[in-house]
């Protein structure tokens, strides 16, 4: 990447950047009101910031493409999500500090509820608490024997999530998900998606079958669904590409994993969103770039709960005066993708973006929302270009050419 813009013209500067990701921020209008969750929420702080900021709508991958969380975040940090795509399994494994080795295969598993016919009733098994998750993971460790020649690891993530890691010779991650992402149908079989992955598909299917057998007597979490198979390899770091020291503050393991993949210092997870700002303030001057992640907009959107997503947005809005008090040179607010509560899932809709610095050209917006951002000076743009705009506003890009 060193021969491409903006990497080739990056310079150092004594500036601080705060990058706030409100996961799943974008939405769709409520048919009764015509307003999205963000437009419905009372956000006096974000609205005030928007009046003097640049704004637009970012496309995480491309028009009409629904992004996963991994591609969505890679684009935010200036990594082309097509070129650098990585499965969720690796991100989850890194997020729980599992010591991955080159060539390890990782997948994110969900505990799920299956009916007597083998159809999915609940893709998240009622969202068990972390203590119950740990019990179920220990049951798998004790009951599932590794295939011949394979090291097998089950690691707890949180709630209904766990991570599966396989280590061995000639393994391939070119495998399809078993999660159909809907209920009333059976899990999908593990299918090879590459010429060299047929043997790996058989190995993984045998592990999934063994998991379901071990969990058969559970009332809720009586099966597993697999997503995001990936092989671990190292990525170019943010410090190498952008000459910045970077910190990450995130409560969910997957996002800490992505930050670790990109070479950020990953701080211990705060217990609450309010404590997230405490962690941000503590040692704020020790890094140039601060990635701050808030999750619950996405979770409530996937639950289909419009009102709860509105409330989650309002709670994060209330934290911005404390962020502003740190006086960052650049403040960015956006999401990694849209999660409309009407769809109960990620969607392809562009995501609101707010960029505040003393060098922006404000569009005179009255509020921070999808329709306001459509009128912003940034327009609708590829999200992978956002980092160049951040660096420019932080005075970290040299002039190009003579």
């Amino acid at each position: 990447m060193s021969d491409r813009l903006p990497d080739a013209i990056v310079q150092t500067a004594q500036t601080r950047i705060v990058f706030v990701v409100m996961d799943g921020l974008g939405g769709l209008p409520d048919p009764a009101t015509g307003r999205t969750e963000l437009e419905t929420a009372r956000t006096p702080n974000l609205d005030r910031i928007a009046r003097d900021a640049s704004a637009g709508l970012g496309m995480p991958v491309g028009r009409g493409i629904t992004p996963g969380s991994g591609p969505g975040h890679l684009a935010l940090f200036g990594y082309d999500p097509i070129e650098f795509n990585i499965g969720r399994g690796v991100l989850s494994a890194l997020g729980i500090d599992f010591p991955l080795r080159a060539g390890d295969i990782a997948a994110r598993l969900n505990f799920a509820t299956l009916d007597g016919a083998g159809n999915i009733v609940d893709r998240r098994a009622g969202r068990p608490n972390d203590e119950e998750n740990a019990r179920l993971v220990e049951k798998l460790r004790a009951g599932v024997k590794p295939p011949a020649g394979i090291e097998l690891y089950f690691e707890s993530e949180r709630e209904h999530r766990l991570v599966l890691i396989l280590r061995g010779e000639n393994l391939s991650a070119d495998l399809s998900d078993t999660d159909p992402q809907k209920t009333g149908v059976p899990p999908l079989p593990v299918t090879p998606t590459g010429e060299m992955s047929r043997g790996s598909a058989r190995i993984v299917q045998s592990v999934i079958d063994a998991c379901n057998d071990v969990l058969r007597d559970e009332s809720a979490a009586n099966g597993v669904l697999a997503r995001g198979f990936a092989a671990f390899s190292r990525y170019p770091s943010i410090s190498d590409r952008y000459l910045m020291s970077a910190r990450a503050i995130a409560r969910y393991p997957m996002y800490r994993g992505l930050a670790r993949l990109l070479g950020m210092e990953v701080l211990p997870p705060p217990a609450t969103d309010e404590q997230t700002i405490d962690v941000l303030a503590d040692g704020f001057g020790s890094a140039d770039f601060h990635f701050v992640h808030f999750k619950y907009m996405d979770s409530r959107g996937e639950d289909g709960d419009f009102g709860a997503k509105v409330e989650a947005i309002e709670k994060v809005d209330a934290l911005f005066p404390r962020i502003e008090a740190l006086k960052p040179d650049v403040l960015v607010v956006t999401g990694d993708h849209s999660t409309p509560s009407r769809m109960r899932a990620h969607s392809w809709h562009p995501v609101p973006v707010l960029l505040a610095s003393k060098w922006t050209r404000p569009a005179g917006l009255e509020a921070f929302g999808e329709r306001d951002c459509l009128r912003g000076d940034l327009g609708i743009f590829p999200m992978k270009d956002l980092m160049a705009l951040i660096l420019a506003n932080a005075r970290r890009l040299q002039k190009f050419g003579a």
Side-chain angles (χ1 to χ4, degrees):
M1 296 293 293
S2 61
D3 60 341
R4 302 183 189 180
L5 297 176
D7 302 46
I9 57 172
V10 168
Q11 63 184 2
T12 59
Q14 297 300 311
T15 49
R16 301 277 182 263
I17 300 161
V18 174
F19 196 138
V20 176
V21 176
M22 298 173 68
D23 204 296
L25 177 62
L28 286 174
D30 183 332
T33 66
R35 295 192 297 272
T36 68
E37 298 94 334
L38 179 57
E39 293 167 341
T40 301
R42 294 181 296 275
T43 54
N45 295 303
L46 285 169
D47 293 346
R48 171 178 47 76
I49 295 168
R51 295 183 190 114
D52 295 314
S54 285
L57 293 170
M59 294 184 299
V61 178
R63 295 184 184 274
I65 306 300
T66 297
S69 297
H73 276 82
L74 286 169
L76 291 176
F77 301 130
Y79 292 74
D80 186 325
I82 304 298
E83 179 181 355
F84 287 101
N85 189 26
I86 185 70
R88 187 157 185 156
V90 162
L91 302 181
S92 291
L94 291 171
I96 58 173
D97 295 328
F98 186 87
L100 287 174
R101 299 179 187 174
D104 284 356
I105 305 300
R108 215 287 294 280
L109 303 185
N110 275 17
F111 287 116
T113 306
L114 309 178
D115 66 17
N119 293 322
I120 301 166
V121 176
D122 185 341
R123 295 176 51 245
R124 301 177 180 88
R127 292 188 186 273
N129 60 34
D130 293 350
E131 182 179 353
E132 175 68 357
N133 177 298
R135 181 188 71 81
L136 293 165
V137 168
E138 194 57 44
K139 186 171 183 176
L140 292 178
R141 288 173 176 163
V144 178
K145 295 182 179 180
I150 301 296
E151 295 180 44
L152 184 64
Y153 303 90
F154 295 102
E155 300 293 335
S156 179
E157 191 170 354
R158 62 182 302 171
E159 296 179 340
H160 56 281
R161 305 178 182 92
L162 66 152
V163 188
L164 167 68
I165 301 102
L166 297 98
R167 179 174 295 162
E169 297 295 326
N170 301 316
L171 290 173
S172 171
D174 293 333
L175 304 169
S176 65
D177 293 353
T178 72
D179 184 357
Q181 301 202 36
K182 58 184 178 181
T183 58
V185 297
L188 299 170
V190 180
T191 304
T193 59
E195 288 297 323
M196 305 302 292
S197 58
R198 295 182 187 278
S200 295
R202 288 191 295 270
I203 290 170
V204 174
Q205 186 66 64
S206 72
V207 172
I208 298 296
D209 291 342
C211 289
N212 291 341
D213 188 58
V214 168
L215 297 171
R216 191 179 304 277
D217 62 346
E218 294 289 333
S219 59
N222 61 353
V224 295
L225 304 172
R227 296 173 60 189
F229 290 95
F232 175 64
S233 61
R234 300 204 174 275
Y235 274 36
S237 71
I238 278 183
S239 60
D240 289 340
R241 290 190 61 191
Y242 306 137
L243 306 182
M244 295 190 300
S245 56
R247 298 198 309 168
I249 308 167
R251 296 176 62 192
Y252 273 66
M254 200 213 81
Y255 311 103
R256 297 199 299 274
L258 186 135
R260 186 170 285 110
L261 183 71
L262 303 185
M264 299 187 202
E265 177 191 3
V266 180
L267 302 178
T272 66
D273 286 348
E274 290 76 12
Q275 289 181 17
T276 293
I277 309 304
D278 296 336
V279 175
L280 173 65
D282 186 17
F284 180 69
S286 66
D288 305 313
F289 182 89
H290 303 265
F291 162 44
V292 183
H293 183 271
F294 297 103
K295 174 65 175 175
Y296 289 114
M297 286 64 58
D298 180 55
S299 301
R300 302 294 84 84
E302 288 190 335
D303 290 341
D305 194 331
F306 189 100
K309 182 175 176 181
V310 168
E311 183 179 353
I313 292 170
E314 292 176 346
K315 286 182 177 179
V316 175
D317 178 80
L319 302 175
F320 275 94
R322 295 183 60 196
I323 297 174
E324 292 176 278
L326 299 173
K327 299 187 183 303
D329 298 281
V330 180
L331 172 62
V332 183
V333 185
T334 188
D336 54 334
H337 53 76
S338 293
T339 308
S341 55
R342 282 173 55 192
M343 297 181 70
R344 295 176 175 262
H346 296 193
S347 78
W348 61 91
H349 299 91
V351 186
V353 177
L354 186 65
L355 192 159
S357 86
K358 65 180 180 181
W359 308 114
T360 55
R361 186 180 288 162
L365 304 185
E366 290 301 318
F368 182 48
E370 285 85 350
R371 280 173 290 192
D372 284 277
C373 286
L374 185 60
R375 298 189 293 107
D377 58 309
L378 302 181
I380 301 177
F381 67 98
M383 197 70 93
K384 66 181 181 181
D385 293 343
L386 178 58
M387 184 58 80
L389 291 167
I390 294 170
L391 294 170
N393 278 273
R395 306 309 301 271
R396 289 176 175 268
L397 292 184
Q398 303 173 34
K399 181 177 70 173
F400 175 64

